[in-house]
Amino acid sequence: METPSAPGSLGWNREKATLALLPFAMLIVSLDQYIVIVALHDIARNLGYSAQTLQSVISAYAVASAGFLLFGGRAADLLGRRRILASGLVLYAGAALAGGVATGPGTLLAARAFQGLGGALVFPTTLALINTTFFEGRARNRALGIWGGSGAAGLVIGVLLGGLLTRAFGWEAVFLVNVALAGPALLLAFVLIPRDGEREKAASSTYPVRSASLSASPSSCSPSCKAPDRAGFRRASWSAQRQAYC
């Protein structure tokens, strides 16, 4: 289990770098919600979308990302946070590359859906890593503020960046830029985030695996959820954190 490093040590510099990496990863997956909006006209013309089906380019990412969000958090609990973060970034970058070279609407929709799945792995894992890397209190609150601000900023930056890239390089650039962003984040994840240890048996026995098909349902958060005690919240798994926020 990761423990925060004491200020002044070498680990403190690692902690600062981690504070830059995790919000950056969140920014990357947030960008793609709306980065394709300005490029939709060019995508429709080149790939043969109709006016009725063009919205699916946006919806495929949003539905996959939201639908597998809880699945991604639970996978991080069971398989390791660094492992799932890296897997999510690889899937996200690979799907973005496939979208950038797509020659038909079916290929592009599949790429967008897999991008959403990659985002669903990255999103909860970055949140869990913040809660296990930073001490409860000012340090964690600051990290959560930066992380949340990066996610919100990504929605706005995505629209602006999409317009600039489409005008300068064509619609393919709104997909290929994600490869350039996710690549360095993936490398830094292996450098900055400690290796995953053996999964905790207590976590796997307390929180049963939910079906991914139900993970997008609002009813998955029970009104009777109880938050963990403050002393143990830093070490809580993603599942426990989700229950606490319900």
Side-chain angles (χ1 to χ4, degrees), residues 41-195:
H41 178 73
D42 292 343
I43 291 174
R45 184 178 66 248
N46 292 343
L47 298 185
Y49 280 94
S50 66
Q52 292 74 25
T53 60
L54 189 57
Q55 177 64 31
S56 61
V57 177
I58 298 176
S59 300
Y61 181 90
V63 170
S65 179
F68 287 93
L69 189 62
L70 301 185
F71 170 80
R74 185 56 178 157
D77 288 346
L78 297 178
L79 303 178
R81 297 182 181 99
R82 187 175 80 163
R83 186 176 294 114
I84 294 301
L85 177 61
S87 299
L89 289 171
V90 168
L91 183 60
Y92 186 85
L97 179 61
V101 299
T103 57
T107 304
L108 185 63
L109 285 181
R112 288 288 287 170
F114 278 104
Q115 267 192 291
L117 177 57
L121 298 179
V122 172
F123 186 134
T125 306
T126 55
L127 176 59
L129 283 167
I130 284 178
N131 280 284
T132 56
T133 301
F134 301 94
F135 279 114
E136 182 179 7
R138 181 179 179 182
R140 185 188 296 170
N141 293 340
R142 176 170 174 261
L144 288 172
I146 296 173
W147 176 84
S150 297
L155 301 177
V156 178
I157 295 174
V159 176
L160 300 176
L161 182 62
L164 292 174
L165 291 174
T166 301
R167 182 173 181 179
F169 305 106
W171 67 266
E172 296 89 348
V174 302
F175 293 96
L176 298 179
V177 69
N178 293 302
V179 181
L181 294 174
L186 176 63
L187 295 177
L188 287 174
F190 285 106
V191 173
L192 298 175
I193 300 174
R195 186 183 301 272

Side-chain angles (χ1 to χ4, degrees), residues 2-28:
E2 303 90 344
T3 56
S5 303
S9 66
L10 180 61
W12 185 67
N13 294 325
R14 178 189 294 269
E15 193 170 288
K16 291 175 64 177
T18 303
L19 179 58
L21 170 64
L22 298 178
F24 179 64
M26 182 61 188
L27 175 69
I28 295 173

Side-chain angles (χ1 to χ4, degrees), residues 216-236:
S217 172
S219 62
S220 61
C221 286
S222 170
S224 61
C225 293
K226 294 183 179 180
D229 60 275
R230 291 174 59 85
F233 186 74
R234 182 184 61 79
R235 297 180 297 274

